[in-house]
């Protein structure tokens, strides 16, 4: 018996938002860079990125993570990413 995943039947899949940091901790005033590994399983181009950061209870959102994290005070920062592909579908 052959089992075919639903995605193979032509259903549109959402793009995958994926990122990693070059290290786990950073010093104050040190630039923070993330490696964006986002992709579309169907090969569509990623056209937009929306980063969200929860910093000391305040949420910041923008297209550029480095700018969002510029001059932040030491502490725990939660970072999320969502991406949109050329079809207009968000992750």
């Amino acid at each position: 018996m052959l089992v075919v995943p639903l995605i193979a039947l032509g259903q549109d899949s959402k793009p995958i938002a994926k990122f990693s940091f070059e290290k786990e901790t950073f010093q104050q005033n040190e630039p923070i860079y993330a490696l964006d590994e986002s992709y579309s399983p169907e090969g569509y181009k990623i056209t937009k990125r929306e980063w969200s950061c929860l910093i000391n209870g305040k949420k910041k959102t923008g297209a550029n993570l480095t700018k969002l994290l510029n001059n932040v005070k030491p502490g725990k920062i939660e970072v999320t990413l969502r991406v949109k592909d050329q079809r207009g579908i968000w992750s």
Side-chain angles (χ1 to χ4, degrees), residues 3-67:
V3 178
V4 180
L6 288 177
I7 191 68
L9 298 176
Q11 291 186 356
D12 289 334
S13 62
K14 292 181 177 183
I16 306 298
K18 182 179 177 183
F19 67 95
S20 60
F21 290 102
E22 57 188 31
K23 55 187 185 175
E24 288 188 27
T25 60
F26 295 84
Q27 299 297 317
Q28 188 170 2
N29 299 321
E30 178 182 5
I32 301 172
Y33 299 104
L35 175 61
D36 183 357
E37 303 170 55
S38 302
Y39 65 96
S40 165
E42 296 178 358
Y44 293 103
K45 182 180 177 182
I46 300 299
T47 58
K48 189 169 185 175
R49 289 160 179 80
E50 183 181 270
W51 296 92
S52 293
C53 302
L54 188 60
I55 306 168
N56 299 322
K58 293 184 179 181
K59 185 176 181 179
K60 289 177 145 186
T61 303
N64 186 309
L65 179 63
T66 303
K67 287 183 181 180

